[in-house]
Structure formats: structure tokens, C-alpha cells
């Protein structure tokens, strides 16, 4: 009988011919005439950059911003406590001898390994450190609202990570903010290394926050402005008074996360996850929050049809650590997995699995997903190409 029904075919997805990114990704991507994505091309560009000259530029930048009077911090580093944070603090504190203020937006639901790494970061670097957590009651509401309205339970984290450190920069009068990589550039190739792009309020709002901001949460589940003070980006007048400027360290030293991990493990005892995660083969990324490699990343798969495993294999294919075929095998193994932390997250926010699935399905991109004749969501997978 099933043979007589018309077979539903999913929309065709175009994939980069070198890595595994789909053209329709969370980070804007373009393909060139050879079918190679802008992320791969930007990665290749690193070979053409005069990194010695960039290092000199960075050294001069540090000299310009180092406090002459010793009455303020030399720079501010937003840190999660992950390997890239360690790398940034290592460079600024120990290589360039700056006096940085470290600031964490704490998403709550910390993992044990994340907690130990933050303690280690405090112990080994000896920097002044602010760890900020909003009201957990507010965070639970924001998880629910974020899922319902934006398909992203962690929208609060995008706002917090991109507001709390800038507020601290204004409050403590620290003009230089040191970010790690520009994710849209390093993954998707949104900019060239030649652009030397810096952090802007517009990048924060339009890309990192996808056009949303704290007012989108006001009035939902009784949230008021006073619950969201930490999520506000400072006014232009405050930014200009202090002269706040955000740079990406990847523009000065290139970006290879595997190198960072190896160095941080050897030099500072940075700890990777002891066990594999449900949704990726890497054990050194996004270690701080119980749900980051789980439900948060699963929603990306629901929306776009790919997950963090794709991000990870694309990095590894570009760096030469694996072949595209090996990457595709891993994507096939991990991208679709419903993570084991989902019941914990549902209990945290007070939601049922049925409610969750119903909301999640409203965020499936119709250019990727279609329901087949049996009522199952299907898509055009990378392993069916070529
Ligand atoms: Zn690519």
C-alpha cells in the first residue's frame, strides 16, 4: 500500500563541497563558483596574513591601553571559563603583562567540570574576577519565553554575555574589551581577516541577538524592566565617555581551537570533559553549562537541520585534522541525537515533552524540513549527496 502513495521529498539542501556546512546556516554563508563556502575561504585566508605584523599591532595596542597611572584596569576580558577564555587570559596576563578584569555572565546550571575550570582560572591567573548570575527565577522564565518566541532557550545568555561585560567596562572605566573569535567570521566567513573588524552594538543586536533584545521579554510571564537591568547595553553616551572598544583576538593571532586546548591543558591544567557528549565527538567545547551541548544545540538542529557536530567537523576539515568523508560520518552519527539532558531541562523550566516538541516544531525551517507520508520530519542529508 505504501508504494502507491506519492513519496514526499524534502527540499534540496546545498552543501559546501569542501566542509559540511549547508548554505542555509545559523551563520550567514555564501558559496563561490566552485561550491566552496565563505567560511572555508576565510579559513584559507589565514595563510596569507602577515601574523608577525599583526602581533606587533597587538603589542602596540596593549601599550596604548595599559594604564599609566595604575588607577584602572588595562583591559576587560569576557570569560566563560572555557579553553578560549584561558587562552585569552594567558595571552593578556602572562604574555603581554596586562592587568585584566575578568567578567563572566553565569548562565546557571553549571557543570562540575566547568566549575572546576573557573576555580582553576582564578587560581592560576590571579586576576580580579566578577561572576554575575541573574535571578534564577527570572532565568527559568526567560528559558521558556526564549524557546516559545525565539526558538532559543538561551537567548538570555546571548544578551547577558553581550551586555554584562560591557556594563562592567563602563562601570570600571575600562576602554579595551578583548573578545575571542568573531564566530560569524571564523565559522561562516562573514568578514575577511583583512577587515580587522571590531565589536559593535550593531553586531551584538543584529547577529548575536538575532534582532531581539531585553524589551522583547518585558510583559511576558510578568517580567518587568527591573528584572532585566543586567541585559541592557550601555547608552552611546556612556560607551563614548569611557571610549569602550571591543577587539577580536582571532584577528591578531589566527584561530585554532585545538592548539588552544592543548596549550591550556599542558600549561594550566585545563580540564576537558571526561565523557563524550550526546551531540558531538569533541570534549573540550561548551563545558560550562549542562544544557549547552544538549538542548540548546538540539534546537539549532530543529531549526536549521544541523548541529554543533557539523560546526566541529567543519573546523577540523578546514584545519586538516579530518577528511570530509570522516566529517560526514560524524555528522550522521551525532547531529540528530535528542540529548539526554532534555528531561532535566524540562523539569528546570516546568514543561512537558509534548509541549516542548509542539513549540520546537514551529521553528523548523520549511526550506529544510518537510513531513513525510508517515508524519515524520525529513530533510535532505549531506550523506545523500555526491
Ligand atoms: Zn565550507
Amino acid at each position: 500500500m505504501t508504494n502507491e502513495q506519492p513519496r514526499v521529498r524534502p527540499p534540496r539542501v546545498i552543501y559546501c563541497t569542501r566542509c559540511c556546512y549547508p548554505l542555509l546556516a545559523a551563520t550567514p554563508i555564501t558559496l563561490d563558483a566552485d561550491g566552496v563556502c565563505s567560511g572555508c575561504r576565510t579559513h584559507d585566508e589565514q595563510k596569507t596574513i602577515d601574523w608577525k605584523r599583526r602581533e606587533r599591532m597587538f603589542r602596540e595596542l596593549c601599550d596604548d591601553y595599559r594604564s599609566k597611572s595604575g588607577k584602572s584596569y588595562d583591559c576587560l576580558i569576557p570569560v566563560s571559563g572555557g579553553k578560549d577564555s584561558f587562552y585569552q587570559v594567558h595571552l593578556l596576563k602572562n604574555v603581554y603583562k596586562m592587568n585584566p578584569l575578568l567578567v563572566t555572565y553565569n548562565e546557571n546550571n553549571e557543570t562540575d567540570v566547568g566549575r572546576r575550570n573557573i576555580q582553576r582560572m582564578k587560581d592560576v591567573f590571579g586576576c580580579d574576577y566578577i561572576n554575575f548570575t541573574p535571578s534564577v527565577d527570572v532565568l527559568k522564565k526567560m528559558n521558556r519565553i526564549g524557546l516559545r518566541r525565539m526558538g532559543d532557550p538561551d537567548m538570555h545568555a546571548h544578551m547577558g554575555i553581550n551586555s554584562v561585560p560591557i556594563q562592567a567596562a563602563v562601570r570600571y572605566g575600562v576602554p579595551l574589551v578583548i573578545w575571542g573569535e568573531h564566530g560569524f567570521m571564523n565559522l561562516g566567513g562573514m568578514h575577511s581577516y583583512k577587515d580587522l573588524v571590531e565589536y559593535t552594538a550593531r553586531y551584538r543586536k543584529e547577529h548575536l541577538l538575532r534582532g531581539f533584545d531585553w524589551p522583547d521579554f518585558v510583559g511576558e510571564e510578568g517580567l518587568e524592566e527591573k528584572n532585566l537591568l543586567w541585559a541592557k547595553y550601555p547608552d552611546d553616551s556612556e560607551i563614548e565617555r569611557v571610549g569602550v572598544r571591543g577587539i577580536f583576538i582571532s584577528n591578531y593571532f589566527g584561530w585554532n581551537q585545538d592548539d588552544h586546548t592543548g596549550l591550556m591543558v599542558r600549561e594550566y591544567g585545563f580540564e576537558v570533559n571526561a565523557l563524550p557528549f550526546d551531540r558531538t565527538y569533541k570534549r573540550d567545547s561548551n563545558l560550562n553549562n549542562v544544557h549547552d551541548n544538549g538542548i540548546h544545540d538540539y534546537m539549532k538542529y530543529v531549526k536549521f537541520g544541523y548541529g554543533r557536530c557539523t560546526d566541529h567537523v567543519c573546523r577540523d576539515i578546514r584545519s586538516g585534522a579530518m577528511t570530509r568523508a570522516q566529517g560526514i560520518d560524524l555528522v550522521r552519527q551525532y547531529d540528530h541525537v535528542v540529548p539526554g539532558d532534555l528531561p532535566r531541562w524540562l523539569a528546570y523550566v516546568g514543561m512537558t515533552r509534548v509541549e516542548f516538541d509542539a513549540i520546537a516544531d514551529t521553528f523548523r525551517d520549511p526550506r529544510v524540513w518537510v513531513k513525510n507520508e508517515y508524519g515524520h520530519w525529513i530533510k535532505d542529508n549531506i550523506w545523500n549527496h555526491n
Side-chain angles (χ1 to χ4, degrees):
M1 183 186 128
T2 52
N3 287 341
E4 290 156 23
Q5 287 181 329
R7 219 178 126 213
V8 177
R9 289 185 185 281
R12 182 170 169 77
V13 174
I14 299 167
Y15 291 94
C16 172
T17 54
R18 189 187 292 173
C19 69
C20 292
Y21 270 120
L23 186 52
L24 218 148
T27 160
I29 281 180
T30 55
L31 293 184
D32 67 13
D34 297 322
V36 176
C37 80
S38 39
C40 285
R41 293 301 185 203
T42 298
H43 177 86
D44 290 350
E45 201 185 43
Q46 292 190 63
K47 294 177 200 126
T48 69
I49 300 294
D50 180 352
W51 291 110
K52 285 211 174 84
R53 180 167 167 267
R54 292 284 171 107
E55 192 277 335
R56 281 199 304 277
M57 288 167 69
F58 188 77
R59 188 176 293 276
E60 285 165 13
L61 190 77
C62 288
D63 290 343
D64 284 348
Y65 281 93
R66 195 175 279 113
S67 171
K68 313 286 183 289
S69 64
K71 287 184 178 169
S72 58
Y73 295 100
D74 298 334
C75 63
L76 184 149
I77 311 178
V79 291
S80 66
K83 63 188 186 307
D84 299 329
S85 308
F86 269 64
Y87 173 70
Q88 284 158 262
V89 183
H90 155 76
L91 277 181
L92 271 300
K93 178 81 196 297
N94 289 348
V95 179
Y96 293 93
K97 310 296 180 195
M98 298 281 270
N99 178 27
L101 173 63
L102 312 184
V103 180
T104 294
Y105 172 78
N106 190 323
E107 304 172 24
N108 200 31
N109 296 318
E110 298 143 278
T111 63
D112 291 338
V113 64
R115 226 180 257 128
R116 288 197 295 274
N117 276 331
I118 285 200
Q119 185 59 45
R120 196 168 278 120
M121 183 181 74
K122 292 193 278 188
D123 290 340
V124 297
F125 293 113
C127 298
D128 290 358
Y129 177 50
I130 297 170
N131 191 324
F132 181 92
T133 317
S135 149
V136 171
D137 187 45
V138 169
L139 287 180
K140 288 182 180 179
K141 290 179 178 173
M142 292 182 83
N143 265 262
R144 287 192 293 264
I145 299 163
L147 178 73
R148 221 166 41 227
R149 292 203 48 192
M150 300 123 190
D152 184 352
D154 282 335
M155 188 53 79
H156 71 88
H158 305 314
M159 295 198 310
I161 291 165
N162 290 285
S163 303
V164 169
I166 316 290
Q167 286 186 4
V170 166
R171 185 157 303 151
Y172 290 93
V174 192
L176 183 62
V177 178
I178 312 274
W179 298 94
E181 68 170 341
H182 187 300
F184 284 70
M185 171 177 159
N186 289 83
L187 290 175
M190 181 191 262
H191 304 285
S192 158
Y193 275 93
K194 296 184 178 109
D195 295 335
L196 277 167
V197 288
E198 301 198 350
Y199 188 95
T200 62
R202 187 172 171 187
Y203 171 58
R204 169 189 177 274
K205 169 106 185 218
E206 290 188 5
H207 298 291
L208 298 169
L209 271 58
R210 304 192 174 283
F212 294 105
D213 215 334
W214 64 269
D216 294 298
F217 287 82
V218 173
E220 298 272 334
E221 298 205 21
L223 287 183
E224 300 174 47
E225 183 172 356
K226 68 177 182 187
N227 303 123
L228 300 159
L229 300 176
W230 51 269
K232 292 184 175 185
Y233 195 77
D235 290 340
D236 285 353
S237 61
E238 294 177 291
I239 296 284
E240 278 165 23
R241 178 173 56 78
V242 178
V244 176
R245 172 184 180 189
I247 63 153
F248 297 97
I249 211 159
S250 54
N251 275 326
Y252 297 90
F253 298 94
W255 197 252
N256 186 327
Q257 295 192 325
D258 287 343
D259 291 352
H260 301 172
T261 305
L263 186 65
M264 295 307 109
V265 169
R266 279 196 312 277
E267 295 280 318
Y268 302 107
F270 178 78
E271 196 179 338
V272 301
N273 216 45
L275 297 169
F277 289 107
D278 292 341
R279 297 188 38 76
T280 183
Y281 60 102
K282 291 255 190 205
R283 296 188 193 184
D284 62 355
S285 283
N286 309 88
L287 303 182
N288 302 296
N289 180 305
V290 172
H291 301 296
D292 206 350
N293 272 320
I295 166 68
H296 170 73
D297 182 54
Y298 179 68
M299 279 309 297
K300 182 157 89 176
Y301 174 72
V302 169
K303 284 191 272 191
F304 296 98
Y306 76 95
R308 192 166 279 152
C309 181
T310 292
D311 294 324
H312 289 163
V313 303
C314 290
R315 284 189 196 274
D316 280 346
I317 293 166
R318 289 169 184 171
S319 74
M322 70 171 60
T323 65
R324 187 169 187 267
Q326 288 170 322
I328 290 173
D329 281 347
L330 287 165
V331 167
R332 192 171 189 166
Q333 185 182 339
Y334 284 106
D335 258 4
H336 66 282
V337 172
V338 180
D341 64 296
L342 180 55
R344 185 197 181 280
W345 184 82
L346 291 172
Y348 176 60
V349 302
M351 193 180 282
T352 67
R353 176 68 194 270
V354 172
E355 288 171 304
F356 171 80
D357 284 336
I359 295 168
D361 282 348
T362 64
F363 287 96
R364 288 184 191 267
D365 193 318
R367 291 168 296 178
V368 175
W369 295 101
V370 71
K371 261 190 182 169
N372 71 6
E373 56 271 39
Y374 310 109
H376 299 140
W377 290 106
I378 55 168
K379 67 183 187 79
D380 180 20
N381 291 305
I382 190 169
W383 53 90
N384 292 329
H385 286 242
N386 303 330

